[in-house]
Amino acid sequence: MAMAMSDSGASRLRRQLESGGFEARLYVKQLSQQSDGDRDLQEHRQRIQALAEETAQNLKRNVYQNYRQFIETAREISYLESEMYQLSHLLTEQKSSLESIPLTLLPAAAAGAAAASGGEERGGAGGRDHLRGQASFFPTPGGASRDCSGPGEEGKQRTLTTLLEKVEGCRHLLETPGQYLVYNGDLVEYEADHMAQLQRVHGFLMNDCLLVATWLPQRRGMYRYNALYPLDGLAVVNVKDNPPMKDMFKLLMFPESRIFQAENAKIKREWLEVLEETKRALSEKRRREQEEAAAPRGPSQVTAKAGNPFEDEEEEEPAVPEVEEEKVDLSMEWIQELPEDLDVCIAQRDFEGAVDLLDKLNHYLENKPSPPPVKELRAKVDERVRQLTEVLVFELSPGRSLRGGPKATRRAVSQLIRLGQCTKACELFLRNRAAAVHTAIRQLRIEGATLLYIHKLCHVFFTSLLETAREFETDFAGTDSGCYSAFVVWARSAMGMFVDAFSKQVFDSKESLSTAAECVKVAKEHCQQLGDIGLDLTFIIHALLVKDIQGALHSYKEIIIEATKHRNSEEMWRRMNLMTPEALGKLKEEMKSCGVSNFEQYTGDDCWVNLSYTVVAFTKQTMGFLEEALKLYFPELHMVLLESLLEIILVAVQHVDYSLRCEQDPEKKAFIRQNASFLYETVLPVVEKRFEEGVGKPAKQLQDLRNASRLIRVNPESTTSVV
């Protein structure tokens, strides 16, 4: 019943806070008037706090659900984009195939029609020239034109030379024999997502590729190379007019696409037509070359020799029998369709299928000659391999989703290895994992105690490192051992990233030495877990942390020295009176935990301690510093720790030595000797023993300090002490 009343009260409170006319000031005033006392206000505050926490949990749950839906929607959009590109590519190929059928069935008629059409166009005043007609190469700014150099090789070479002179950075890309300019014109490029204008470009369509160049505003009529796209892997899509966006068309080069705008509808139509014509002509040319290469060659030399009646028979030399080059059968259907099948596999993200096809082709062509048809086929296949490699590289890029863990990269990595790109696969895998680790560290919320954050940080980092190492061993087993060296280098770099976050939270925030020691201990324990897979990075974390730990030890040493000097300045050399047996018992426990087992002999009657407060406080601080420093200890810190201990001890014993020489009162002098005896005979042996246990070897400097009757030799008549 009480629970039901509580639920109804919470519901009523929620409705009251959610009402449109709610005023906080008026609500608090009414609540103060109606409450019976502080207890009612505290209970009401707890109810509001519980309601706030419940609201926060509901908000987090809704955000998480919306985030999951967003991820699923983004994934579906990605799949849909891939399918749309595949569909567009298939439609383009079907269109090209249908348009090439009449040319295949009626070559003579098609040739005659083309010649007649070419004659009419050349005869017209404003008609367009044939692909190899006569006209100027570069248009006026904003226009477009076809290449119109003469039909001979000299005219083609002249236009290509002019192109090389006008476009910077493309000379090494356009040295293919038989290449010539078909069409060119000004375009404006738009962003594919937001349709924002990007830049002015100039397109140059060659008989086998499309070159895109950007304008150089400071140099009129000059261009800079931007991109070069082979026509084999290029798809052209007409973009419907949607004012003010009109006269646009899209070029698809998987996995990227670009949108261009022509000056008007006529120029856009010309671009679309000439692109399709050039692609079709290139396809037909290569098909004829394959047929000619596959056809048997006739005895041309015998015919030529028989038709020469003036050749002197005496000057004839015995003919060297020509070794007939072995033919490679490329007429099989799967070889003919291999480039298109590779395009489909890439579009469908069937990476395994694409690599299987490549392996099948390589196995078939193994140990076989390379006549021109084979070289041409390999050129086409190499272009697909380049596209496939780019897609796989994109799959491993840090910009992709990193939520799948190391196993999410296995598919792309394994296919890159099969393609012979082991080094690139290793580099991309490690770069992807570095981005994942960096993202995981950045997403950690810095809240609560430092030690709690360090526990989370170590768990996230070392778990990711362990998973990465296991996945690396799975993916690159049997590959070049150099990859393992790359992994070790990467692991050291990742450890540096971890130490940066660790030091920023532990050392830069000036945490106490005990907190720093606990945090370092946690990091070492996690690091030792990597030994299960044969990876020891303890020495790396030591090397990266040594400077910060040295700074922490030095800083804490200075704090102890300053505190000791301050107590020394107020020293009255009086016995301690702890007032209560409980306080005395607590002090005994503290001294016992410090390793001083004979402290009982320094206690007197009625809660008195026969030692100075300064000496007792110094003992507790020194032993506490030693215990925390030993948690941080590793060999590189040996001298730093030893020198810090010596400096701290010298401050205390110098003060005792100075007081013993300057004090004139016999009773106080006897009390000072008792404190000095406690330091030399009790505290210093405990420090020496504990240091040897923690380090593993004795410290000669501490032994010398204990064995000396006086730490500082001064003039007995002097009343000053040299520190």
Side-chain angles (χ1 to χ4, degrees), residues 570-640:
E570 299 177 352
E571 180 61 76
M572 302 297 294
W573 293 113
R574 296 175 181 175
R575 293 190 304 162
M576 291 179 63
N577 184 4
L578 298 178
M579 306 301 292
T580 62
E582 291 79 8
L584 180 60
K586 182 179 179 181
L587 178 60
K588 290 180 180 179
E589 290 296 327
E590 290 177 349
M591 298 305 289
K592 185 177 180 180
S593 65
C594 291
V596 182
S597 58
N598 61 342
F599 189 71
E600 290 284 349
Q601 70 184 37
Y602 295 98
T603 59
D605 301 332
D606 299 333
C607 306
W608 285 92
V609 177
N610 297 324
L611 292 173
S612 168
Y613 167 76
T614 301
V615 174
V616 173
F618 167 78
T619 302
K620 291 194 294 184
Q621 258 192 329
T622 302
M623 294 308 299
F625 170 78
L626 180 58
E627 290 296 331
E628 301 302 336
L630 288 177
K631 294 179 183 179
L632 297 167
Y633 178 81
F634 44 87
E636 290 82 357
L637 295 171
H638 182 83
M639 291 307 301
V640 176

Coordinates of all heavy atoms in Angstrom, one line a residue, residues 570-640:
E570 N 60.0 25.1 14.0 CA 59.1 25.3 15.2 C 59.4 24.3 16.3 O 58.6 24.1 17.2 CB 57.6 25.2 14.7 CG 57.2 26.3 13.7 CD 55.8 26.1 13.3 OE1 55.2 25.0 13.7 OE2 55.2 27.0 12.6
E571 N 60.5 23.6 16.1 CA 60.9 22.5 17.1 C 61.2 23.1 18.5 O 62.0 24.0 18.6 CB 62.0 21.7 16.5 CG 62.5 20.6 17.4 CD 61.4 19.5 17.6 OE1 61.2 18.7 16.7 OE2 60.7 19.6 18.7
M572 N 60.5 22.5 19.5 CA 60.8 22.9 20.9 C 61.4 21.8 21.7 O 61.7 22.0 22.9 CB 59.4 23.3 21.6 CG 58.7 24.4 20.9 SD 59.6 25.9 20.9 CE 59.6 26.3 22.6
W573 N 61.6 20.6 21.1 CA 62.2 19.4 21.7 C 61.5 19.1 23.0 O 62.0 19.1 24.1 CB 63.7 19.6 22.0 CG 64.5 19.7 20.7 CD1 65.1 20.8 20.2 CD2 64.7 18.7 19.7 NE1 65.7 20.5 19.0 CE2 65.5 19.2 18.7 CE3 64.2 17.3 19.7 CZ2 65.8 18.4 17.6 CZ3 64.6 16.6 18.6 CH2 65.4 17.1 17.5
R574 N 60.2 18.8 22.8 CA 59.4 18.3 23.9 C 58.8 17.0 23.6 O 58.6 16.6 22.4 CB 58.2 19.3 24.2 CG 58.7 20.7 24.6 CD 57.5 21.6 24.7 NE 57.9 23.0 25.2 CZ 57.1 24.0 25.2 NH1 55.8 23.9 24.9 NH2 57.5 25.2 25.6
R575 N 58.5 16.2 24.6 CA 57.8 14.9 24.4 C 56.4 15.1 23.9 O 55.7 16.1 24.2 CB 57.8 14.1 25.8 CG 59.2 13.7 26.3 CD 59.1 12.7 27.4 NE 58.3 13.3 28.5 CZ 57.7 12.5 29.5 NH1 57.9 11.2 29.5 NH2 57.0 13.1 30.4
M576 N 55.9 14.1 23.2 CA 54.6 14.1 22.7 C 53.6 13.6 23.7 O 53.8 12.6 24.4 CB 54.5 13.2 21.5 CG 55.2 13.6 20.2 SD 55.0 12.4 18.9 CE 53.3 12.5 18.6
N577 N 52.5 14.3 23.9 CA 51.4 13.9 24.7 C 50.2 13.6 23.9 O 49.6 14.6 23.4 CB 51.1 14.9 25.8 CG 50.1 14.5 26.8 OD1 49.6 13.3 26.7 ND2 49.7 15.4 27.7
L578 N 49.8 12.4 23.7 CA 48.7 12.0 22.8 C 47.3 12.1 23.5 O 46.3 11.9 22.9 CB 48.9 10.6 22.2 CG 50.1 10.5 21.4 CD1 50.3 9.1 20.9 CD2 50.1 11.5 20.2
M579 N 47.3 12.4 24.8 CA 46.1 12.7 25.5 C 45.2 11.5 25.8 O 44.6 11.3 26.9 CB 45.2 13.8 24.8 CG 46.0 15.1 24.5 SD 46.7 15.9 25.9 CE 45.2 16.4 26.7
T580 N 45.0 10.6 24.8 CA 44.1 9.5 25.0 C 44.8 8.2 24.6 O 45.6 8.1 23.7 CB 42.8 9.6 24.1 OG1 43.2 9.6 22.7 CG2 42.1 10.9 24.4
P581 N 44.4 7.1 25.3 CA 44.9 5.8 24.9 C 44.6 5.4 23.5 O 45.4 4.7 22.8 CB 44.3 4.8 25.9 CG 43.9 5.7 27.1 CD 43.5 7.0 26.5
E582 N 43.5 5.8 23.0 CA 43.1 5.5 21.6 C 44.1 6.1 20.6 O 44.6 5.5 19.7 CB 41.7 5.9 21.3 CG 40.6 5.2 22.0 CD 40.4 5.6 23.4 OE1 41.1 6.7 23.8 OE2 39.7 5.0 24.2
A583 N 44.5 7.4 20.9 CA 45.4 8.0 20.0 C 46.8 7.3 20.1 O 47.5 7.2 19.1 CB 45.5 9.5 20.4
L584 N 47.2 6.9 21.3 CA 48.5 6.2 21.4 C 48.5 4.9 20.7 O 49.4 4.5 20.0 CB 48.8 6.0 22.9 CG 50.1 5.3 23.2 CD1 51.3 6.1 22.7 CD2 50.2 5.1 24.7
G585 N 47.3 4.2 20.8 CA 47.2 2.9 20.1 C 47.3 3.0 18.6 O 47.9 2.2 17.9
K586 N 46.6 4.1 18.1 CA 46.7 4.4 16.7 C 48.1 4.7 16.2 O 48.5 4.2 15.2 CB 45.7 5.5 16.4 CG 45.6 5.8 14.9 CD 44.7 7.0 14.7 CE 44.6 7.3 13.2 NZ 43.7 8.5 12.9
L587 N 48.8 5.4 17.0 CA 50.2 5.8 16.6 C 51.1 4.5 16.6 O 51.9 4.3 15.8 CB 50.8 6.8 17.6 CG 52.2 7.2 17.4 CD1 52.4 7.8 16.0 CD2 52.7 8.2 18.4
K588 N 50.8 3.6 17.6 CA 51.6 2.4 17.6 C 51.3 1.5 16.4 O 52.3 1.0 15.8 CB 51.2 1.6 18.9 CG 51.8 2.2 20.2 CD 51.3 1.3 21.4 CE 51.9 1.9 22.7 NZ 51.5 1.1 23.9
E589 N 50.1 1.5 16.0 CA 49.7 0.7 14.8 C 50.4 1.3 13.5 O 50.9 0.6 12.6 CB 48.2 0.7 14.6 CG 47.5 -0.2 15.6 CD 47.9 -1.7 15.5 OE1 48.2 -2.1 14.3 OE2 47.9 -2.3 16.5
E590 N 50.4 2.7 13.4 CA 51.0 3.4 12.3 C 52.5 3.1 12.3 O 53.1 2.8 11.2 CB 50.8 4.9 12.4 CG 49.3 5.2 12.1 CD 49.1 6.7 12.3 OE1 50.0 7.4 12.8 OE2 48.0 7.2 12.0
M591 N 53.2 3.1 13.4 CA 54.6 2.9 13.4 C 54.9 1.4 13.1 O 55.9 1.1 12.5 CB 55.2 3.3 14.8 CG 55.1 4.7 15.1 SD 55.7 5.9 13.9 CE 57.5 5.6 14.1
K592 N 54.0 0.5 13.6 CA 54.2 -0.9 13.2 C 54.1 -1.1 11.8 O 54.8 -1.9 11.2 CB 53.2 -1.7 14.0 CG 53.4 -3.2 13.9 CD 52.4 -4.0 14.7 CE 52.7 -5.5 14.6 NZ 51.7 -6.3 15.4
S593 N 53.1 -0.5 11.1 CA 53.0 -0.6 9.7 C 54.1 0.0 8.9 O 54.4 -0.4 7.8 CB 51.7 0.1 9.2 OG 51.7 1.5 9.4
C594 N 54.8 0.9 9.5 CA 56.0 1.5 8.9 C 57.2 0.6 9.1 O 58.3 0.9 8.5 CB 56.3 2.9 9.5 SG 55.1 4.2 9.0
G595 N 57.1 -0.4 9.9 CA 58.3 -1.3 10.1 C 59.0 -1.1 11.4 O 60.0 -1.8 11.6
V596 N 58.6 -0.2 12.2 CA 59.2 0.1 13.5 C 58.5 -0.8 14.5 O 57.5 -0.5 15.1 CB 59.1 1.6 13.9 CG1 59.8 1.8 15.2 CG2 59.6 2.4 12.8
S597 N 59.1 -2.0 14.8 CA 58.5 -3.0 15.7 C 58.8 -2.7 17.2 O 58.1 -3.2 18.0 CB 59.0 -4.4 15.3 OG 60.4 -4.4 15.4
N598 N 59.9 -1.9 17.5 CA 60.2 -1.7 18.9 C 59.8 -0.3 19.4 O 60.5 0.3 20.2 CB 61.8 -1.8 19.0 CG 62.5 -0.8 18.2 OD1 62.0 -0.3 17.2 ND2 63.8 -0.6 18.5
F599 N 58.7 0.1 18.9 CA 58.2 1.5 19.3 C 57.8 1.5 20.7 O 57.7 2.6 21.3 CB 57.1 1.9 18.3 CG 56.7 3.4 18.5 CD1 57.5 4.4 18.1 CD2 55.5 3.7 19.1 CE1 57.2 5.7 18.3 CE2 55.1 5.0 19.3 CZ 56.0 6.0 18.9
E600 N 57.4 0.3 21.3 CA 57.0 0.3 22.7 C 58.0 0.9 23.7 O 57.6 1.5 24.7 CB 56.7 -1.1 23.1 CG 55.4 -1.7 22.4 CD 54.1 -1.2 22.9 OE1 54.2 -0.6 24.0 OE2 53.1 -1.4 22.3
Q601 N 59.3 0.7 23.4 CA 60.3 1.2 24.3 C 60.4 2.7 24.3 O 61.0 3.3 25.2 CB 61.6 0.6 24.0 CG 62.2 1.1 22.7 CD 63.5 0.4 22.3 OE1 63.7 -0.8 22.5 NE2 64.5 1.2 21.8
Y602 N 59.7 3.4 23.4 CA 59.8 4.8 23.4 C 58.5 5.5 23.9 O 58.3 6.7 23.9 CB 60.0 5.3 21.9 CG 61.4 5.0 21.4 CD1 61.5 3.9 20.6 CD2 62.5 5.7 21.7 CE1 62.7 3.5 20.0 CE2 63.7 5.3 21.2 CZ 63.9 4.2 20.4 OH 65.1 3.9 19.9
T603 N 57.6 4.6 24.4 CA 56.4 5.2 25.0 C 56.5 5.2 26.5 O 57.2 4.3 27.1 CB 55.2 4.3 24.7 OG1 55.4 2.9 25.1 CG2 55.0 4.3 23.2
G604 N 55.9 6.2 27.1 CA 56.0 6.4 28.6 C 54.6 6.1 29.2 O 53.7 5.5 28.7
D605 N 54.5 6.7 30.4 CA 53.2 6.6 31.2 C 52.2 7.6 30.7 O 52.5 8.7 30.3 CB 53.5 6.8 32.7 CG 54.5 5.8 33.2 OD1 54.6 4.7 32.6 OD2 55.2 6.1 34.2
D606 N 50.9 7.2 30.8 CA 49.8 8.1 30.6 C 49.9 8.8 29.2 O 49.9 10.0 29.1 CB 49.7 9.2 31.6 CG 49.5 8.6 33.0 OD1 48.9 7.5 33.1 OD2 49.9 9.2 34.0
C607 N 50.0 8.0 28.2 CA 49.9 8.5 26.8 C 51.1 9.4 26.4 O 50.9 10.2 25.4 CB 48.6 9.2 26.5 SG 47.1 8.2 26.9
W608 N 52.2 9.3 27.1 CA 53.3 10.1 26.7 C 54.2 9.3 25.8 O 54.4 8.0 25.9 CB 54.1 10.5 27.9 CG 53.5 11.6 28.7 CD1 52.6 11.5 29.7 CD2 53.6 13.0 28.4 NE1 52.2 12.7 30.2 CE2 52.8 13.7 29.4 CE3 54.4 13.8 27.5 CZ2 52.7 15.1 29.5 CZ3 54.3 15.2 27.6 CH2 53.5 15.8 28.6
V609 N 54.9 9.9 24.8 CA 55.8 9.3 23.9 C 57.2 10.1 24.1 O 57.2 11.3 24.0 CB 55.4 9.4 22.4 CG1 56.4 8.8 21.5 CG2 54.1 8.7 22.3
N610 N 58.2 9.3 24.3 CA 59.5 9.9 24.6 C 60.3 10.3 23.3 O 61.5 10.0 23.2 CB 60.4 9.0 25.5 CG 59.7 8.7 26.8 OD1 59.1 9.6 27.4 ND2 59.9 7.5 27.3
L611 N 59.6 10.8 22.4 CA 60.1 11.3 21.1 C 59.5 12.6 20.8 O 58.4 13.0 21.2 CB 59.9 10.3 20.0 CG 60.6 8.9 20.1 CD1 60.1 8.0 19.0 CD2 62.1 9.1 20.0
S612 N 60.2 13.4 19.9 CA 59.7 14.7 19.4 C 58.7 14.4 18.4 O 58.7 13.5 17.6 CB 60.8 15.5 18.9 OG 60.4 16.6 18.2
Y613 N 57.7 15.3 18.3 CA 56.7 15.3 17.3 C 57.3 15.4 15.9 O 56.9 14.7 14.9 CB 55.6 16.4 17.5 CG 54.7 16.6 16.3 CD1 53.7 15.7 16.0 CD2 55.0 17.7 15.4 CE1 52.9 15.9 14.9 CE2 54.2 17.9 14.3 CZ 53.1 17.0 14.1 OH 52.3 17.2 13.0
T614 N 58.3 16.2 15.8 CA 59.0 16.3 14.5 C 59.6 15.0 14.0 O 59.5 14.7 12.8 CB 60.1 17.4 14.6 OG1 59.5 18.6 15.0 CG2 60.8 17.6 13.3
V615 N 60.3 14.3 14.9 CA 60.9 13.0 14.5 C 59.9 12.0 14.1 O 60.0 11.2 13.2 CB 61.8 12.6 15.6 CG1 62.4 11.2 15.3 CG2 63.0 13.5 15.8
V616 N 58.8 11.9 14.9 CA 57.7 10.9 14.6 C 57.1 11.2 13.3 O 56.9 10.3 12.4 CB 56.7 10.9 15.7 CG1 55.5 10.0 15.4 CG2 57.3 10.4 17.0
A617 N 56.7 12.5 13.0 CA 56.1 12.9 11.7 C 57.1 12.6 10.6 O 56.6 12.1 9.5 CB 55.7 14.3 11.8
F618 N 58.4 12.9 10.8 CA 59.3 12.6 9.7 C 59.4 11.1 9.4 O 59.5 10.7 8.3 CB 60.7 13.1 10.2 CG 61.8 12.6 9.3 CD1 62.1 13.2 8.1 CD2 62.6 11.5 9.7 CE1 63.1 12.7 7.3 CE2 63.7 11.1 8.9 CZ 63.9 11.7 7.7
T619 N 59.4 10.3 10.5 CA 59.4 8.8 10.3 C 58.2 8.3 9.4 O 58.4 7.6 8.5 CB 59.4 8.1 11.6 OG1 60.6 8.6 12.4 CG2 59.5 6.6 11.4
K620 N 57.0 8.8 9.8 CA 55.8 8.3 9.0 C 55.9 8.8 7.6 O 55.6 8.1 6.6 CB 54.6 8.9 9.7 CG 54.3 8.2 11.1 CD 52.9 8.5 11.6 CE 52.7 10.0 11.9 NZ 51.4 10.2 12.5
Q621 N 56.3 10.1 7.4 CA 56.3 10.6 6.0 C 57.4 9.9 5.2 O 57.2 9.6 4.0 CB 56.6 12.1 6.0 CG 55.4 13.0 5.8 CD 55.7 14.4 5.5 OE1 56.7 14.9 6.1 NE2 54.9 15.1 4.8
T622 N 58.5 9.6 5.7 CA 59.6 9.0 5.0 C 59.3 7.6 4.6 O 59.5 7.2 3.4 CB 60.9 9.0 5.8 OG1 61.3 10.4 6.1 CG2 62.1 8.4 5.0
M623 N 58.7 6.8 5.5 CA 58.3 5.4 5.2 C 57.2 5.4 4.2 O 57.1 4.5 3.4 CB 58.0 4.7 6.5 CG 59.1 4.5 7.5 SD 60.6 3.7 6.7 CE 59.9 2.2 6.2
G624 N 56.3 6.3 4.3 CA 55.2 6.4 3.3 C 55.7 6.7 1.9 O 55.3 6.1 1.0
F625 N 56.7 7.6 1.9 CA 57.3 7.9 0.6 C 58.0 6.7 0.0 O 57.9 6.4 -1.2 CB 58.2 9.1 0.8 CG 59.1 9.4 -0.5 CD1 58.6 10.0 -1.5 CD2 60.4 8.9 -0.5 CE1 59.4 10.3 -2.7 CE2 61.2 9.2 -1.6 CZ 60.7 9.8 -2.7
L626 N 58.7 6.0 0.8 CA 59.4 4.8 0.4 C 58.5 3.7 -0.1 O 58.7 3.1 -1.2 CB 60.3 4.3 1.5 CG 61.2 3.0 1.2 CD1 62.1 3.3 0.0 CD2 62.0 2.6 2.4
E627 N 57.4 3.5 0.6 CA 56.5 2.4 0.2 C 55.8 2.8 -1.2 O 55.7 1.9 -2.1 CB 55.4 2.3 1.2 CG 55.8 1.6 2.5 CD 56.3 0.2 2.3 OE1 55.8 -0.5 1.4 OE2 57.2 -0.2 3.1
E628 N 55.4 4.0 -1.4 CA 54.8 4.4 -2.6 C 55.8 4.4 -3.8 O 55.5 4.0 -4.9 CB 54.1 5.8 -2.5 CG 53.0 5.8 -1.4 CD 51.9 4.8 -1.6 OE1 51.7 4.4 -2.8 OE2 51.2 4.5 -0.6
A629 N 57.0 4.9 -3.5 CA 58.0 4.9 -4.5 C 58.4 3.5 -5.0 O 58.7 3.3 -6.2 CB 59.3 5.7 -4.0
L630 N 58.4 2.5 -4.1 CA 58.8 1.2 -4.5 C 57.7 0.6 -5.4 O 58.0 -0.3 -6.2 CB 58.9 0.3 -3.2 CG 60.2 0.6 -2.4 CD1 60.2 -0.3 -1.2 CD2 61.5 0.3 -3.2
K631 N 56.5 1.0 -5.3 CA 55.4 0.6 -6.2 C 55.7 1.1 -7.6 O 55.3 0.4 -8.6 CB 54.0 1.0 -5.8 CG 53.6 0.4 -4.5 CD 52.2 1.0 -4.1 CE 51.7 0.5 -2.7 NZ 50.4 1.0 -2.3
L632 N 56.4 2.2 -7.7 CA 56.7 2.8 -9.0 C 58.0 2.3 -9.5 O 58.4 2.7 -10.6 CB 56.7 4.3 -8.9 CG 55.4 5.0 -8.5 CD1 55.7 6.5 -8.2 CD2 54.4 4.9 -9.7
Y633 N 58.8 1.6 -8.7 CA 60.2 1.3 -9.0 C 60.4 0.4 -10.3 O 59.6 -0.6 -10.5 CB 60.8 0.6 -7.8 CG 62.3 0.3 -8.1 CD1 63.3 1.2 -7.9 CD2 62.6 -1.0 -8.4 CE1 64.6 0.9 -8.2 CE2 64.0 -1.4 -8.7 CZ 64.9 -0.4 -8.5 OH 66.3 -0.7 -8.8
F634 N 61.3 0.7 -11.1 CA 62.0 -0.2 -12.0 C 63.4 0.3 -12.2 O 63.8 1.4 -11.8 CB 61.2 -0.2 -13.4 CG 60.7 1.1 -13.9 CD1 61.6 1.9 -14.7 CD2 59.5 1.6 -13.7 CE1 61.1 3.0 -15.3 CE2 59.0 2.8 -14.2 CZ 59.9 3.5 -15.0
P635 N 64.3 -0.5 -12.8 CA 65.7 -0.2 -12.7 C 66.1 1.2 -13.1 O 67.1 1.7 -12.6 CB 66.3 -1.3 -13.6 CG 65.4 -2.4 -13.6 CD 64.0 -1.8 -13.4
E636 N 65.5 1.8 -14.1 CA 65.9 3.1 -14.6 C 65.7 4.2 -13.5 O 66.2 5.3 -13.6 CB 65.1 3.5 -15.8 CG 65.4 2.7 -17.1 CD 64.7 1.4 -17.1 OE1 64.0 1.0 -16.2 OE2 64.9 0.7 -18.2
L637 N 64.9 3.9 -12.4 CA 64.6 4.8 -11.4 C 65.4 4.6 -10.1 O 65.2 5.2 -9.1 CB 63.1 4.8 -11.0 CG 62.1 5.2 -12.1 CD1 60.7 4.9 -11.7 CD2 62.3 6.7 -12.4
H638 N 66.4 3.7 -10.2 CA 67.1 3.3 -9.0 C 67.9 4.5 -8.4 O 67.7 4.8 -7.2 CB 68.2 2.2 -9.3 CG 68.9 1.7 -8.1 ND1 68.4 0.8 -7.3 CD2 70.2 2.1 -7.6 CE1 69.3 0.6 -6.3 NE2 70.4 1.4 -6.5
M639 N 68.7 5.2 -9.1 CA 69.4 6.3 -8.6 C 68.5 7.5 -8.2 O 68.8 8.2 -7.2 CB 70.5 6.8 -9.6 CG 71.6 5.8 -9.8 SD 72.4 5.3 -8.2 CE 73.0 6.9 -7.6
V640 N 67.4 7.7 -8.9 CA 66.5 8.8 -8.6 C 65.9 8.5 -7.2 O 65.8 9.5 -6.4 CB 65.4 8.9 -9.7 CG1 64.4 10.0 -9.3 CG2 66.0 9.3 -11.0

